[in-house]
Amino acid sequence: MKKFSSLLAIIISIMAFSQQQGKLRKVATVGFLNVENLWDTIRSADYIDGTKDIKNPAFHRSIPLDSIKFLEAEKYDGTWSDEALKGKKAVRYQSGSDEFTPSSPKNYNTKIYKAKLANEAKVISEMGAQYTKTAPAVVGLIEVENRQVIEDLVKEPALKKYDYGIIHYNSYDYRGIDVALIYQKRRFTPTNSLKKELKVFGDDGKREYTRDILVVTGFLDNEKVAFFMNHWPSRRGGEAISLPKRNAAAALLKQQMDSIRAADPSTKLFAMGDFNDDPVSSSLKNYLKAQPSPKDLSDNTPYLNLMYPLYKKGVASLAYQDAPNLFDQIIVSKNLVSDQVTKEYSVYKAEIFAPPYLVNKEGNYKGYPFRSWNGDQFTGGYSDHFPAFVVLQKEP
């Protein structure tokens, strides 16, 4: 783990990025963070009101358990999906909600919740700042319970001044966690958003409920872009046994990316998140067909995995079962790759963000991410994953 910890602790020195070769650059950071179980302290459930439009936040929302008795709901034993629930009203209980309450073994109270919010806000505000001198323009979030925790997060002092907007949909994930996107309103204007349900099944043929892929299109500093937030099925049960589920996620992601690219080839695409696989895994290599190098890009293979060079150098974003992995990745379309700075955004640099305060400094987990929880004990840490970001540049 010595190599693992030393690589992750490397921080590239601060540089005057906004001025290279005597020319000014306009820059933007796009990144994401696994916020490691960002839950509020209230026992809650999901309420689905299928009489609402699917894009209406009231279609599928998080509610306190004690308010269920005031809502109309039927006993529902069918498939949990937006299409199946149209016209119905039902309650879906979250298996993870009880774990994060004041009465749980974690003693998850307001003080801990506020510490979690402050920690995650600090990390987000500093991602890419050594290059851009500001917070990211667009940030993906992984492992959020509901919209309320995101609203609380963007109100934190470290983020409030950036006026972040929120895009979030509740998923049918078995634990009740979702992915989301926040964005600086002055820099990114969303034009459309949707969630794509990932349908995977266990050995018994039963549906296993996991996170959706969040698809957001819009304009970043007046350039047409699309973001795809991912949190693919875990390796629970073993890498080989669970791989088909991530292959299915990769196929769904590729279908969504290909669709937007076919509709408008000028759109710049960013797929990012916790893929629970490395850049060389079958899901990313053979199903998404994410390429390791710009020289491998073509019209048939238009997606570049920005993390592949880091993976080959031994850089990791987490330690899974005591082994380093680079599960947190950013993949971009080939129109973001350029060997020159032009009037349109292109990739300048991609990194795993691991400043010293995010790295565990002692004990059995030295060099690992400084996570928030050690069993039921709150550590004061940040996440069990290091975040990832890409810096974009163009002529002003």
Side-chain angles (χ1 to χ4, degrees):
M1 291 306 299
K2 184 176 181 181
K3 180 182 178 184
F4 174 60
S5 60
S6 61
L7 281 167
L8 290 174
I10 292 174
I11 302 299
I12 297 177
S13 60
I14 295 176
M15 57 186 292
F17 176 65
S18 62
Q19 189 169 357
Q20 295 177 356
Q21 299 176 350
K23 295 182 179 179
L24 292 176
R25 299 287 185 262
K26 184 175 181 64
V27 293
T29 297
V30 171
F32 70 94
L33 170 65
N34 185 322
V35 292
E36 192 190 358
N37 294 314
L38 183 56
W39 295 72
D40 59 30
T41 62
I42 302 168
R43 291 183 68 215
S44 58
D46 284 355
Y47 180 67
I48 298 91
D49 182 351
T51 65
K52 308 286 187 184
D53 184 87
I54 286 178
K55 287 204 169 187
N56 186 332
F59 179 93
H60 184 174
R61 67 185 192 270
S62 181
I63 59 170
L65 281 182
D66 58 10
S67 67
I68 291 175
K69 58 181 176 289
F70 300 111
L71 297 169
E72 179 185 353
E74 63 185 82
K75 187 179 188 308
Y76 183 75
D77 297 318
T79 300
W80 293 96
S81 72
D82 289 351
E83 288 298 322
L85 285 159
K86 280 185 177 179
K88 302 180 184 298
K89 295 182 179 182
V91 174
R92 178 171 172 80
Y93 293 93
Q94 302 170 342
S95 66
S97 180
D98 290 347
E99 185 180 359
F100 294 91
T101 64
S103 59
S104 73
K106 282 184 165 57
N107 187 30
Y108 189 70
N109 52 34
T110 300
K111 181 179 179 180
I112 295 176
Y113 177 53
K114 288 185 175 180
K116 272 287 291 179
L117 290 171
N119 282 357
E120 309 310 329
K122 172 181 171 63
V123 178
I124 291 168
S125 69
E126 295 179 2
M127 288 166 52
Q130 68 265 43
Y131 303 111
T132 65
K133 311 303 181 188
T134 188
V138 177
V139 184
L141 301 174
I142 298 170
E143 292 194 9
V144 293
E145 181 192 5
N146 51 39
R147 186 182 181 92
Q148 184 60 57
V149 300
I150 310 170
E151 291 179 353
D152 292 343
L153 177 64
V154 299
K155 291 175 184 174
E156 282 292 303
L159 296 180
K160 186 175 182 180
K161 63 184 176 182
Y162 298 108
D163 191 24
Y164 279 103
I166 298 170
I167 299 174
H168 165 263
Y169 295 95
N170 277 303
S171 73
Y172 296 100
D173 175 73
Y174 73 102
R175 286 185 59 222
I177 56 172
D178 313 317
V179 297
L181 202 75
I182 62 174
Y183 58 93
Q184 290 193 38
K185 296 175 186 176
R186 67 182 181 85
R187 302 197 66 178
F188 177 67
T189 304
T191 54
N192 191 40
S193 65
L194 56 92
K195 66 173 185 176
K196 295 301 295 185
E197 293 179 31
L198 174 60
K199 297 178 181 179
V200 294
F201 302 86
D203 293 336
D204 57 2
K206 291 184 179 179
R207 171 92 180 266
E208 292 187 358
Y209 294 95
T210 186
R211 283 73 58 179
D212 305 318
I213 296 177
L214 175 62
V215 182
V216 179
T217 57
F219 291 88
L220 174 62
D221 294 333
N222 298 316
E223 292 190 32
K224 198 169 186 179
V225 296
F227 300 102
F228 306 81
M229 270 308 301
N230 300 262
H231 186 187
W232 288 2
S234 74
R235 294 188 172 190
R236 188 164 46 107
E239 177 184 355
I241 292 175
S242 59
L243 180 59
K245 300 170 189 175
R246 292 186 297 282
N247 289 343
L252 177 61
L253 173 59
K254 187 174 188 302
Q255 185 270 327
Q256 290 299 303
M257 294 176 74
D258 287 349
S259 176
I260 288 179
R261 186 168 173 269
D264 187 347
S266 71
T267 305
K268 295 178 168 65
L269 311 185
F270 300 82
M272 55 190 181
D274 175 4
F275 294 95
N276 272 306
D277 269 336
D278 289 312
V280 294
S281 298
S282 171
S283 57
L284 290 150
K285 185 178 178 182
N286 300 326
Y287 284 79
L288 184 58
K289 300 187 184 302
Q291 300 303 302
S293 170
K295 66 181 177 59
D296 300 312
L297 296 173
S298 69
D299 287 342
N300 293 325
T301 55
Y303 307 129
L304 177 68
N305 194 329
L306 297 177
M307 298 304 167
Y308 183 87
L310 297 177
Y311 176 80
K312 296 301 287 185
K313 291 177 181 178
V315 175
S317 61
L318 79 160
Y320 178 74
Q321 294 186 344
D322 219 24
N325 288 101
L326 185 50
F327 288 172
D328 300 87
Q329 299 164 57
I330 300 176
I331 295 152
V332 298
S333 52
K334 69 186 183 74
N335 55 358
L336 274 157
V337 180
S338 175
D339 57 3
Q340 296 181 340
V341 180
T342 68
K343 292 187 179 299
E344 293 189 354
Y345 273 134
S346 62
V347 172
Y348 168 69
K349 177 177 283 293
E351 284 190 16
I352 296 298
F353 185 51
Y357 70 85
L358 287 184
V359 183
N360 214 316
K361 297 176 177 59
E362 57 188 9
N364 294 334
Y365 302 105
K366 184 177 180 180
Y368 291 2
F370 183 23
R371 63 185 304 163
S372 300
W373 294 98
N374 180 13
D376 288 329
Q377 181 67 40
F378 181 63
T379 66
Y382 298 80
S383 176
D384 53 349
H385 290 244
F386 293 122
F389 68 82
V390 56
V391 177
L392 309 174
Q393 65 175 353
K394 66 177 177 179
E395 293 179 5

